[in-house]
């Protein structure tokens, strides 16, 4: 009884202290107003929106495991003799970076598990970020007012690639050293300034003596600092601008419909975090990745067999392998086209297109209004075809990055396989574009038939005249709404002459983008209702 009263007094004092602290905070900061608005924030319930959260939680695991690893990693290129627990390499001269990586793997309690979880988290982070970007692209969620968030997302993806390559290169093993040799060649391929940049970055001729410490600072401080700041800005804009949502009853371009942050979204998101972190821990415990002890320390005169980079930079390796050995001398400078084009120009064009695409589509469409409804990929056949063609081109370059392994495994000729891949890299995306666009139009035609005839029941019906046909039932109002309420721009109309070249180009691109379409069977009244649902908001969308 006595202890019960004492516990009650302690609990009451704790509540009073918490209330007093909150009131003091609320007088100096709008805690109650901000917290209440945040708790009422509507979050999307569709599974595709969780891809960004997978990337976020992988980043959390990366930060936590990285903080553990920095306690034991020595980013030094000073030579030492390895005397750790791994017998086959004991007595071998290595750098401190490589020796400390071995000590983390074999001498530090839980070190190998944390190392592998960290590596797997990096792979999942880049993969989830890339797939999240594809969802944004295919659904048109990059349009106004989210152009800035798209730019931030592309920058985050670029920084993730850089951060992954830096971390992959830190152990100074033979595999990562081979990758750094490739990076050094890419830097040296830059006209005029390449050799100077290489000497500056590597602090002397490759492999240099101070590059690993510099790379460590970039990996641990510079890139993570910018990455975390951009993630915070990205999340702030997501909350401020509201999320997009799929077309459905009650959802328009002027509202944001979803689950409240607490308790529904909070519980779902917390469960996803534990699933992601648990899956990464299982992968780190059971699936070996980057066994640096098998490669040995880096030696400039050696290279590993089956040397393959991590998948997210594998497309650069494939482009380098497919490019013919073209070089030319201009004004006393050697231009290495076989390195400059695939490793500098190609990724530069890729990210330039990613950054500029929202502005390009806005220019072609002539649409400056806000959009909060997601596009179904089939309703934007040209955009979808572009995306599929780019993904196939990337996949083919990734396959080309392992052409030697594929040739050895299937007993093929490396030269013949390379020639075939060169043809596929050029023709494959074109074929994928044509096929994808036709499939999107076919799916639009299927939607039209469903609106006209209804949904197939799987039964056969016989008419009074004896004819046989498929049985149909009318679509539900919700399914009809989803098929009918869609944003499909029409080509820009021609203006009276004279026309400038820029306007003629714009009209031609707009016609090519949006002339192929299948219109849905709607009445004038339904068309007016759909226009009201698609109308842009006059002010900030409300939840």
């Amino acid at each position: 009884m006595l202890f019960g009263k004492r516990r009650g007094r302690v609990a009451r004092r704790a509540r009073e202290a918490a209330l007093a602290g909150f009131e003091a905070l609320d007088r100096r900061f709008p805690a109650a107003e901000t917290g209440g608005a945040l708790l009422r924030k509507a979050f999307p319930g569709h599974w595709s929106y969780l891809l960004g959260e997978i990337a976020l939680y992988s980043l959390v695991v990366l930060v936590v495991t990285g903080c553990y690893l920095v306690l034991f990693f020595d980013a030094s290129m000073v030579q030492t003799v390895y005397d750790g627990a791994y017998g086959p390499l004991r007595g071998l001269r290595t750098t401190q970076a490589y020796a400390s990586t071995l000590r983390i793997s074999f001498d530090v309690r839980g070190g190998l598990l944390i190392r592998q979880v960290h590596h797997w988290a990096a792979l999942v982070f880049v993969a989830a970020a890339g797939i999240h970007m594809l969802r944004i692209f295919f659904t048109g969620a990059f349009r106004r007012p989210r152009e800035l968030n798209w730019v931030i997302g592309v920058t985050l993806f670029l920084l993730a690639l850089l951060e992954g390559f830096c971390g992959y290169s830190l152990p100074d093993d033979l595999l990562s050293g081979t990758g750094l040799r490739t990076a050094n060649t890419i830097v040296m391929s830059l006209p005029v300034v390449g050799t100077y940049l290489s000497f500056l970055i590597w602090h002397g001729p490759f492999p240099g003596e101070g590059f690993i410490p510099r790379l460590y600072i970039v990996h641990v401080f510079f890139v993570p600092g910018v990455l975390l700041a951009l993630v915070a800005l990205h999340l702030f804009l997501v909350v401020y601008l509201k999320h997009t949502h799929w077309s459905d009853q009650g959802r328009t371009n002027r509202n944001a419909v979803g689950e409240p942050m607490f308790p529904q979204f909070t519980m779902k998101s917390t469960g996803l975090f534990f699933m992601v972190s648990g899956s990464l821990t299982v992968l780190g415990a059971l699936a070996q990745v980057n066994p640096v002890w098998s490669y040995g320390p880096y030696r400039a005169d050696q290279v590993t067999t089956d040397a393959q980079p991590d998948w997210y930079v594998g497309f650069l390796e494939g482009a380098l392998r497919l490019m013919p050995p073209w070089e030319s001398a201009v004004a006393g400078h050697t231009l290495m086209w076989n390195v400059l084009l695939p490793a500098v120009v190609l990724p530069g064009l890729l990210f330039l297109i990613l950054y500029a695409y929202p502005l390009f589509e806005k220019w072609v469409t002539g649409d400056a209004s806000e959009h909060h409804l997601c596009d179904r990929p089939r309703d934007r056949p040209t955009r979808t075809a572009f995306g599929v063609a780019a993904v196939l081109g990337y996949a083919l370059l990734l396959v080309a990055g392992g052409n030697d392994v594929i040739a050895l495994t299937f007993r093929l000729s490396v030269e013949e396989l390379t020639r075939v891949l060169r043809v596929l890299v050029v023709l494959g995306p074109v074929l994928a574009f044509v096929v994808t666009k036709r499939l999107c139009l076919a799916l639009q035609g299927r939607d039209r038939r469903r609106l006209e005839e209804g949904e197939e029941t799987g039964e056969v019906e016989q008419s009074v005249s004896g004819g046989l046909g498929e049985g149909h039932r009318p679509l539900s109002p919700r399914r009809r709404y989803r098929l009918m309420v869609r944003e499909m721009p029409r080509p820009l109309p021609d203006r009276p002459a004279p026309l400038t070249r820029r306007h003629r180009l714009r009209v031609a691109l707009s016609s090519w983008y949006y002339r192929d379409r299948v219109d849905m069977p709607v009445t004038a009244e339904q068309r007016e209702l759909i226009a009201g649902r698609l109308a842009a908001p006059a002010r900030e969308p409300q939840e």
Side-chain angles (χ1 to χ4, degrees):
M1 188 69 177
L2 178 62
F3 291 107
K5 291 182 178 179
R6 183 174 297 176
R7 284 196 299 269
R9 287 196 298 269
V10 171
R12 185 172 60 257
R13 290 172 182 173
R15 287 195 299 269
E16 293 173 353
L19 180 60
F22 180 80
E23 289 177 350
L25 177 64
D26 193 47
R27 293 191 189 101
R28 296 161 178 82
F29 181 80
E33 181 181 353
T34 305
L38 187 60
L39 291 177
R40 293 191 304 270
K41 170 74 174 68
F43 282 87
H46 196 269
W47 65 266
S48 62
Y49 292 90
L50 299 179
L51 295 170
E53 291 191 46
I54 293 176
L56 176 63
Y57 295 145
S58 300
L59 179 61
V60 172
V61 175
L62 274 171
V63 172
V64 173
T65 54
C67 290
Y68 183 82
L69 293 176
V70 297
L71 300 176
F72 305 99
F73 182 72
D74 184 1
S76 172
M77 299 187 73
V78 175
Q79 293 289 318
T80 185
V81 176
Y82 176 69
D83 59 352
Y86 188 64
L89 294 182
R90 194 178 296 126
L92 188 68
R93 289 190 62 82
T94 69
T95 60
Q96 289 282 9
Y98 183 73
S100 64
T101 304
L102 292 180
R103 282 195 295 272
I104 291 173
S105 302
F106 296 106
D107 299 314
V108 175
R109 186 177 296 276
L112 180 59
L113 174 63
I114 300 299
R115 250 198 75 230
Q116 298 205 143
V117 170
H118 189 75
H119 200 115
W120 277 114
L123 297 177
V124 173
F125 172 62
V126 180
I131 298 175
H132 178 61
M133 283 182 59
L134 288 177
R135 185 199 71 82
I136 298 294
F137 177 81
F138 284 123
T139 62
F142 54 80
R143 296 171 296 175
R144 184 183 175 189
R146 299 174 180 84
E147 301 97 331
L148 177 59
N149 229 8
W150 169 261
V151 171
I152 293 173
V154 174
T155 306
L156 284 171
F157 186 69
L158 180 60
L159 290 174
L161 298 182
L162 175 61
E163 180 75 347
F165 180 75
C166 291
Y168 162 85
S169 304
L170 281 178
D172 198 31
D173 59 282
L174 191 54
L175 180 60
S176 65
T178 304
L180 287 177
R181 165 62 80 181
T182 303
N184 178 259
T185 305
I186 293 172
V187 172
M188 293 184 67
S189 71
L190 297 173
V192 182
V193 299
T195 53
Y196 301 102
L197 277 178
S198 172
F199 193 88
L200 178 65
I201 294 173
W202 271 267
H203 198 228
F206 182 85
E209 297 180 355
F211 182 70
I212 294 297
R214 292 182 175 184
L215 197 66
Y216 179 72
I217 296 298
V218 171
H219 179 70
V220 174
F221 292 106
F222 290 164
V223 177
V226 179
L227 197 68
L228 293 176
L230 289 179
V231 166
L233 179 58
H234 183 75
L235 294 177
F236 170 77
L237 288 177
V238 168
V239 173
Y240 177 74
L241 297 173
K242 312 297 187 294
H243 64 272
T244 57
H245 48 201
W246 295 98
S247 176
D248 203 346
Q249 289 179 329
R251 301 180 181 183
T252 69
N253 250 342
R254 298 185 300 277
N255 63 5
V257 180
E259 301 172 342
M261 179 177 180
F262 185 84
Q264 286 87 345
F265 181 78
T266 303
M267 295 298 101
K268 181 190 297 185
S269 186
T270 303
L272 180 63
F273 169 73
F274 285 116
M275 289 175 62
V276 171
S277 56
S279 300
L280 291 174
T281 303
V282 170
L283 281 172
L286 301 180
Q288 179 176 275
V289 63
N290 198 25
V292 295
W293 54 88
S294 298
Y295 309 138
Y298 178 65
R299 296 288 183 268
D301 59 340
Q302 298 178 9
V303 65
T304 60
T305 57
D306 300 344
Q308 308 292 324
D310 281 338
W311 70 267
Y312 45 84
V313 290
F315 76 102
L316 289 179
E317 178 78 13
L320 286 168
R321 296 189 183 194
L322 293 184
M323 186 68 187
W326 295 345
E327 293 183 0
S328 58
V330 178
H333 296 278
T334 300
L335 296 179
M336 299 186 296
W337 302 111
N338 56 328
V339 179
L340 183 65
L341 291 180
V344 178
V345 176
L346 175 64
L349 285 176
L350 170 64
F351 280 95
L352 179 62
I353 292 172
L354 288 175
Y355 278 117
Y357 187 83
L359 298 177
F360 170 76
E361 186 169 301
K362 180 179 178 181
W363 179 70
V364 170
T365 308
D367 182 11
S369 61
E370 291 188 9
H371 298 273
H372 301 285
L373 284 175
C374 287
D375 292 327
R376 289 200 306 168
R378 68 183 65 180
D379 293 334
R380 297 294 183 110
T382 304
R383 180 208 293 160
T384 303
F386 267 130
V388 172
V391 171
L392 179 62
Y394 171 85
L396 289 172
L397 290 177
L398 187 61
V399 170
N403 60 350
D404 54 341
V405 178
I406 296 173
L408 179 63
T409 302
F410 295 98
R411 299 183 180 181
L412 304 173
S413 168
V414 177
E415 292 79 8
E416 291 298 328
L417 180 60
T418 302
R419 295 190 189 98
V420 171
L421 287 172
R422 285 173 180 169
V423 175
L424 289 178
V425 164
V426 175
L427 297 183
V430 177
L431 181 61
F433 180 91
V434 174
V435 172
T436 302
K437 191 168 184 178
R438 298 310 305 172
L439 284 175
C440 289
L441 293 173
L443 289 172
Q444 289 185 37
R446 178 175 176 267
D447 290 342
R448 180 183 175 90
R449 289 193 300 272
R450 292 173 66 192
L451 285 172
E452 292 175 335
E453 303 173 0
E455 197 169 17
E456 295 180 4
T457 61
E459 299 176 351
V460 177
E461 295 180 350
Q462 186 174 15
S463 65
V464 293
S465 61
L468 298 177
E470 297 175 343
H472 295 84
R473 62 171 175 265
L475 294 178
S476 65
R478 184 177 182 182
R479 297 181 71 88
R480 291 183 64 86
Y481 186 96
R482 289 179 177 178
L483 297 181
M484 294 170 62
V485 179
R486 57 178 190 163
E487 295 182 277
M488 291 190 65
R490 294 190 177 273
L492 294 175
D494 287 330
R495 293 179 181 175
L499 297 177
T500 62
R501 289 184 178 178
R502 182 174 179 273
H503 186 73
R504 286 199 298 268
L505 174 62
R506 186 182 183 187
V507 170
L509 285 174
S510 180
S511 176
W512 180 66
Y513 246 69
Y514 300 116
R515 69 189 174 199
D516 297 325
R517 55 190 292 145
V518 177
D519 292 319
M520 297 296 111
V522 294
T523 63
E525 182 181 357
Q526 289 173 331
R527 190 176 294 110
E528 183 178 353
L529 180 63
I530 292 171
R533 296 291 187 270
L534 299 179
R539 61 180 187 276
E540 179 183 277
Q542 299 297 317
E543 295 184 12

